[in-house]
Amino acid sequence: MTPTLAILFAMQAASPGAGVTVPAPPQKTPAEEELQRRSVAGDVVVTARRRSEQAQNVPIPISVVGVKELDNTGSFNIARLQQLQPTLQFYSTNPRNSSVNIRGLGAPLGLTNDGIEQGVGVYIDQVYLSRVAVATLDFLDVQQIETLRGPQGTLYGKNTVAGAINITSKAPSFTFDGRAEVSVGNLDFKQAKASISGPLTDNIAIRLGLTSTDRRGTIYNVASKSYVNSQDNLGLRTAILWRATDTLNLTLSGDYSRQDPNCCAQIFVRVGSTQRPLNRQYDALSRALNYAPPSRNAFDRLTDLDASLRAKNELGGVSLRGEAQLGSGTLTSVTAFRFWHWLPSNDRDFTGLPITTKSNNPTRQNQYTQEFRYAGEGKSFDYVLGAFGFYQDIHTTGVQQQGAAASRWLINPSSALASDPSVLDGLTANNDIRLKNFSGALFGKLNWKVGDRFTVSPGVRLNYDDKVGSYVSIVRDAQGNLVPYSGGTARQAAQRDAIQPQAFTDETYRAWNVSYDVTGSYKPSRDALLYATYAHSFKSGGLNLNGVPVVNGVVQTQLAQIAPEKVDHLELGAKTQFWDRRVTLNVTGFWTIIHDYQAVVNNSSTSTLRGYLANAGEVRVRGAEADFSIRPSERFNLYVNGAFTDGRYVDFKNAPCPPELSGGSTPTAANPTIGAPGQPGTNSPVVCDISGQWLPGISRVAFSYGGEYNLPAKVLGQDGEAYLGVDANTRSKFSSNASRSIYTDIGGYTLTNVRAGFRTDSGLNVFGWARNLFDAHYYEVLATTPGNTGLIAGNVGDPRTYGITIGKSF
C-alpha cells in the first residue's frame, strides 16, 4: 500500500463514521461541481489557494484560461498561452534551453544550468514539475490553467518567487462523456485530440486522453535538403477516480509525452562589429574559408547547418492523490514520480562550416515528490497547512567536438597553428554532470476574517535545500591524448583555449530559509475587492554545473556555489465587476526587489573572460497590470489585458560585456584605453557595469486583446450559432541578451489571430482559423554566438498559418 493510501485510510479509520462500509450514491466530482458553478454569470472558480473559490474573491492577481478559450485560440502549449497573457513570457531555443517568466522574473533569459531552479513553478494536477521542458509540450486534456503572479511560496509545495502556473486536467466523470477534435492546416499541420470518460463501477470512474501534433518545419536547410524546426508531439494521459468511502476520494493518474522533431536551428540574423581584430571577425573569417550563409535575410527562412539536429524530449510519470474529508476540512496527499529524458543534437557554431560538429547534453532525470495539505476552517477563519518533500536525481553526459574548420576559425591567424586543421579537428570534451537535490518544506496560510468585510492573511514557509553536484570535463585531441589543465605545448595551449578541461566533485549547497507574507483584503461590496500584499521570499541557491573559471590550471571551486535570491515584493490590487457582473476590471500595481539575483557574471579577480553563474547585486521590477472584459449579451464579448513593466538591474557591476565591447585585448598599465564600441583591434573591458540597464525579455508595454461575436444560424438542418473571433497581442521592444546590446534588441510587434465557424448545442464545432494573419516578421529570441566574431543568430517567429478544425463533444 502506498503512503497516500495507508495514511488516508488510517485517518479515515480514526474519524467519526469510519465504520460505514457502504459508499454513498455517486455524486458529482469536485471538478464537475466547479463546472456547474462556473455556469453562473461572472463566476470563474479557481483553486489557487488550494480550495475552490471564485477568482474575483481571491486577493491574488490571477489569469484564468479555460478549455473553451484554449481550444478557440489554438493555445495548445505555453508558448501559445503567452499570447493571451501579457505578463507571461516564454523563451526557448530548444526544450532544455527554455525559460518561463512572469513579469520578467523566474530564470535569466538563455541561461540553462542543472544546478539552479526556476522561479516560476509549473504544477499539473498539484504535482510540481522541476523541468521547464514540459512547457514546450502540448497541453493534454486540460480543464483550466491558472497563472498566479507574484510570490506564492506559502501556498505551494515548491517555492515560487515570480509566480505559478497551475494546470488542472479534466477529471474522471461518473457520467459518460467524450470529445474528439481534428485540425489540418498549411505547413502540413495535423493535430488530433481525443478524450473519453465514464464509470467502470458505481464508485470508480476512468478518463483517457491523447493528443498528437505534427507540422513541417518553418526553416529550409539547404545542406540537408529538409525543413527544420518542425513539430512532432505525442501525449497520453489516463486517470482513475475511486470513491473509496463517502468521505475519501483517490485519483491515480499517469501520463507520457514525447517530442521528436527535426529541431532546433538558430539561424543567421546579422553581423555586428566587435572589438576583436578585424581579421578574426565573422566576415573576414568567412571569406578566408570561402563561406557565405545561404541568405543574410533571416525571413528568407534558409540555413545550411551541417550538424545533425534533434530535440527528443520525453516526460512522464504517475501520481496518486487522496482527498479525505476530516472534521471541518480536507486532508490532501499527493504522491508522485516523474521522469525526463532529453536526447539532443545541435549545431552550436551556427554556420554550415565544420567548426563545432557536436555540442550535445543528453540528460536523464528522476523526480519524486510527496505533499500533504490540510485545508480547514473555523468560525471566522480558514487555513492551509502543508508539508512538502522533493528529491531530484540528474545525470547529464555532454559532448563537444571541434571540426576541420575550427583551427582557422578559432585560432589567431598570426599563429602558424591556425593554418593546421589537425590542431583542433577532432578535439573532444566529454562532460559528466551530476546532481542530487533534496528539498523539504513546511508551510501555512491563514485567512482571518476581521468583521464582515476585512480579512488578514498571513503566511509562512520554512524550507531546507540540500544539493550535491559534480562537473567533470575531460578533453582529448583526435589521437586520444589528454589536454592538460595548464602548461604543455603551444598546440595544447591552443586546444585549451578552444575547450577548457576542468573537474570538481561533491560540491554541496545546504541552507535553511524562511519566507513569509501578509495580505490585507477589504470587500466594500459584493462585486469589489481591494487588497495589499507584502512578501519576503527566496529562490533556492545552487551549484555551477556548467563549469567555473580555471586560472593557471586551478579550478576556481570557490565559485561553484550560488547564493539564493532574496525577494521583497509589494502588491496593491483591486478586483471589480459592474453591470450585473457583465463587466470585469481588475488592476494591480507591484514593486519587486531581488537581492543576489542569479545571473551570468564575469569576475576580474579570476583574470578570465569566461562567464559563469553567480549573484548580481540587485534587480528591480515594477509595473501595473489591468485585465478588462465585457459581455453585454450572449452574442458578444470583448477583453483587453495590458501590462506596463519596468525591469532593471539596479546594481550589477561585474556583468559580461555585450558583443560590441568584447573580443579585444586586455587593458594593461601601458595601454589602459578601452576602445569605442564595435571598434576592431582595440582593448575590451574585463567586466561591464550594466547597473540601470533593462532586464532581458521584458517589454515595457504589452497588450492582449480580442473578442467574439455570434449569431443564431442553421446549417444542414442543425441549429446553432455562427461566430467570428479575433485575438491579438502587441508587445514593445525588448532586450534579448543578458547585457543589453545594440545588436540584440528585438523590435516590438503585433500578432493577430482570427477564427470563424459554426457550433451547435449538441457539441459540434467547425471553424477555420489563421494565426499571425498579417504575416508579421518577428524574432522570438536573438543570441550572441561563441568567439566574439559578431555573428548574431536567432529564432524567427512562425509565419502566417491557417487551417480548419472539426470537433465534437458528447
Side-chain angles (χ1 to χ4, degrees):
M1 183 176 289
T2 69
T4 297
L5 283 169
I7 292 173
L8 289 173
F9 269 118
M11 297 291 286
Q12 284 288 298
S15 66
V20 178
T21 57
V22 179
Q27 301 173 352
K28 293 182 182 293
T29 68
E32 291 171 329
E33 292 170 353
E34 290 172 18
L35 281 174
Q36 182 174 335
R37 291 177 61 189
R38 287 182 61 184
S39 64
V40 180
D43 273 6
V44 176
V45 175
V46 297
T47 57
R49 296 197 295 182
R50 300 312 196 186
R51 62 178 73 244
S52 294
E53 303 172 282
Q54 293 182 21
Q56 288 297 109
N57 292 334
V58 179
I60 299 172
I62 308 173
S63 298
V64 183
V65 180
V67 61
K68 181 179 178 180
E69 293 82 5
L70 291 172
D71 291 343
N72 287 344
T73 60
S75 302
F76 58 84
N77 57 27
I78 288 180
R80 296 284 184 87
L81 181 66
Q82 69 171 336
Q83 296 183 18
L84 299 177
Q85 301 181 359
T87 52
L88 176 66
Q89 297 100 23
F90 174 73
Y91 303 102
S92 178
T93 56
N94 63 43
R96 184 175 190 265
N97 294 289
S98 301
S99 58
V100 177
N101 287 356
I102 294 175
R103 297 169 173 169
L105 300 175
L109 177 63
L111 175 62
T112 299
N113 190 311
D114 288 340
I116 64 167
E117 299 173 8
Q118 299 286 324
V120 174
V122 179
Y123 297 81
I124 298 181
D125 297 328
Q126 304 185 39
V127 176
Y128 171 71
L129 279 72
S130 61
R131 301 306 302 219
V132 76
V134 71
T136 66
L137 293 166
D138 293 356
F139 295 140
L140 182 55
D141 207 18
V142 167
Q143 178 62 44
Q144 182 167 285
I145 300 176
E146 304 164 15
T147 302
L148 289 67
R149 306 189 290 272
Q152 307 298 330
T154 62
L155 281 169
Y156 282 75
K158 190 70 175 164
N159 204 2
T160 49
V161 297
I165 298 175
N166 186 26
I167 301 174
T168 302
S169 302
K170 295 178 181 176
S173 170
F174 283 94
T175 56
F176 183 73
D177 67 73
R179 179 174 176 270
E181 179 184 283
V182 176
S183 301
V184 294
N186 66 325
L187 302 180
D188 299 327
F189 177 77
K190 299 177 288 293
Q191 185 176 72
K193 302 177 184 178
S195 64
I196 190 168
S197 184
L200 296 178
T201 69
D202 287 344
N203 56 4
I204 297 177
I206 189 171
R207 186 171 198 93
L208 302 172
L210 66 87
T211 179
S212 175
T213 302
D214 186 79
R215 193 185 75 177
R216 193 198 76 192
T218 57
I219 307 294
Y220 186 71
N221 189 329
V222 300
S224 64
K225 294 182 172 55
S226 63
Y227 285 94
V228 298
N229 292 6
S230 60
Q231 295 178 359
D232 181 6
N233 298 348
L234 175 68
L236 306 169
R237 179 181 181 274
T238 186
I240 299 174
L241 169 64
W242 175 30
R243 294 192 181 280
T245 72
D246 57 346
T247 56
L248 173 63
N249 291 337
L250 297 169
T251 303
L252 178 65
S253 302
D255 66 276
Y256 171 80
S257 294
R258 187 269 298 152
Q259 209 173 16
D260 195 13
N262 186 9
C263 189
C264 297
Q266 290 180 278
I267 67 174
F268 180 101
V269 172
R270 64 175 65 101
V271 175
S273 182
T274 73
Q275 293 176 322
R276 209 177 196 197
L278 193 59
N279 64 350
R280 300 196 67 190
Q281 298 199 36
Y282 179 85
D283 287 331
L285 291 169
S286 296
R287 285 193 298 269
L289 290 166
N290 297 313
Y291 171 76
S295 174
R296 284 187 169 241
N297 180 359
F299 295 102
D300 287 340
R301 301 180 184 273
L302 297 174
T303 190
D304 61 348
L305 300 183
D306 56 332
S308 61
L309 297 178
R310 191 182 192 190
K312 188 171 185 180
N313 184 33
E314 291 183 304
L315 297 104
V318 294
S319 68
L320 179 61
R321 183 174 74 250
E323 296 166 306
Q325 298 298 316
L326 294 175
S328 62
T330 301
L331 174 66
T332 300
S333 170
V334 185
T335 307
F337 162 77
R338 297 203 63 82
F339 68 87
W340 176 55
H341 298 162
W342 168 236
L343 187 62
S345 183
N346 302 302
D347 192 322
R348 283 293 178 246
D349 58 45
F350 306 95
T351 73
L353 292 167
I355 302 168
T356 302
T357 56
K358 293 181 181 179
S359 181
N360 312 321
N361 286 287
T363 298
R364 299 179 72 88
Q365 171 194 291
N366 290 329
Q367 168 194 309
Y368 306 84
T369 56
Q370 175 63 58
E371 183 168 0
F372 294 104
R373 289 192 317 275
Y374 184 76
E377 59 182 61
K379 184 177 180 180
S380 60
F381 63 90
D382 60 69
Y383 58 91
V384 174
L385 299 174
F388 176 78
F390 167 84
Y391 178 76
Q392 177 187 47
D393 188 347
I394 303 176
H395 187 196
T396 298
T397 53
V399 61
Q400 179 177 334
Q401 187 173 85
Q402 305 305 120
S407 294
R408 184 62 186 86
W409 193 269
L410 300 175
I411 300 175
N412 194 324
S414 63
S415 169
L417 296 174
S419 59
D420 183 357
S422 69
V423 176
L424 297 184
D425 190 13
L427 183 72
T428 304
N430 287 289
N431 305 326
D432 189 87
I433 306 170
R434 297 173 186 265
L435 175 70
K436 296 185 183 297
N437 177 12
F438 169 78
S439 180
L442 300 173
F443 58 94
K445 186 77 171 179
L446 171 69
N447 299 310
W448 175 34
K449 298 177 181 178
V450 184
D452 295 334
R453 299 180 182 273
F454 187 67
T455 302
V456 178
S457 304
V460 67
R461 175 192 186 86
L462 175 64
N463 197 93
Y464 175 70
D465 289 293
D466 187 331
K467 301 181 181 183
V468 180
S470 64
Y471 177 88
V472 178
S473 179
I474 298 173
V475 182
R476 290 184 170 87
D477 64 18
Q479 290 72 44
N481 301 310
L482 285 172
V483 176
Y485 285 13
S486 62
T489 65
R491 184 185 182 95
Q492 289 173 325
Q495 292 168 341
R496 189 166 52 246
D497 285 343
I499 307 177
Q500 173 67 61
Q502 64 170 287
F504 56 84
T505 59
D506 296 328
E507 287 294 324
T508 60
Y509 170 83
R510 295 185 175 96
W512 290 90
N513 285 280
V514 176
S515 296
Y516 51 88
D517 57 44
V518 61
T519 297
S521 59
Y522 176 69
K523 201 166 177 59
S525 66
R526 183 194 70 164
D527 295 331
L529 175 70
L530 308 176
Y531 63 92
T533 296
Y534 169 73
H536 177 78
S537 187
F538 78 99
K539 185 172 82 172
S540 171
L543 301 172
N544 257 312
L545 296 184
N546 282 355
V548 296
V550 178
V551 181
N552 298 323
V554 179
V555 181
Q556 305 296 293
T557 54
Q558 76 276 13
L559 303 175
Q561 289 195 16
I562 308 102
E565 293 182 352
K566 306 173 196 62
V567 181
D568 288 292
H569 173 81
L570 179 64
E571 187 141 6
L572 301 174
K575 295 188 174 186
T576 61
Q577 290 183 306
F578 309 96
W579 196 12
D580 196 23
R581 297 188 174 181
R582 297 176 184 178
V583 177
T584 298
L585 175 62
N586 298 334
V587 295
T588 308
F590 61 91
W591 191 299
T592 305
I593 294 176
I594 299 181
H595 298 278
D596 293 329
Y597 180 73
Q598 295 169 354
V600 174
V601 306
N602 285 335
N603 190 330
S604 57
S605 66
T606 66
S607 301
T608 178
L609 293 178
R610 174 170 180 155
Y612 60 95
L613 185 65
N615 298 97
E618 184 178 315
V619 160
R620 183 206 66 215
V621 179
R622 60 187 178 185
E625 304 159 350
D627 299 327
F628 172 82
S629 64
I630 180 171
R631 190 180 185 94
S633 72
E634 294 183 357
R635 301 293 171 212
F636 178 66
N637 66 77
L638 175 73
Y639 71 91
V640 180
N641 304 323
F644 169 80
T645 310
D646 176 29
R648 296 182 182 273
Y649 298 106
V650 176
D651 179 17
F652 197 177
K653 296 181 174 63
N654 60 333
C657 295
E660 58 267 32
L661 285 172
S662 301
S665 302
T666 302
T668 64
N671 183 18
T673 304
I674 301 298
Q679 182 63 43
T682 58
N683 289 339
S684 296
V686 175
V687 298
C688 283
D689 183 354
I690 62 172
S691 302
Q693 288 189 12
W694 290 359
L695 283 174
I698 303 177
S699 293
R700 290 174 65 83
V701 177
F703 286 96
S704 300
Y705 45 96
E708 184 180 287
Y709 182 71
N710 66 74
L711 285 173
K714 191 169 188 175
V715 176
L716 300 177
Q718 294 284 320
D719 291 322
E721 60 185 25
Y723 62 92
L724 173 67
V726 179
D727 299 282
N729 67 95
T730 298
R731 62 182 305 181
S732 61
K733 179 170 64 176
F734 64 96
S735 168
S736 186
N737 197 54
S739 297
R740 191 179 178 193
S741 167
I742 58 177
Y743 306 134
T744 56
D745 274 0
I746 294 179
Y749 56 85
T750 295
L751 302 178
T752 304
N753 311 317
V754 299
R755 62 187 182 277
F758 173 75
R759 58 189 170 223
T760 69
D761 291 338
S762 62
L764 177 66
N765 190 10
V766 181
F767 62 97
W769 48 265
R771 299 188 63 84
N772 189 8
L773 177 66
F774 302 111
D775 201 21
H777 287 180
Y778 68 102
Y779 297 107
E780 295 177 338
V781 176
L782 294 179
T784 58
T785 59
N788 294 309
T789 67
L791 173 62
I792 304 298
N795 293 57
V796 295
D798 280 355
R800 178 193 300 116
T801 57
Y802 50 86
I804 187 170
T805 296
I806 302 174
K808 181 71 169 85
S809 301
F810 54 89

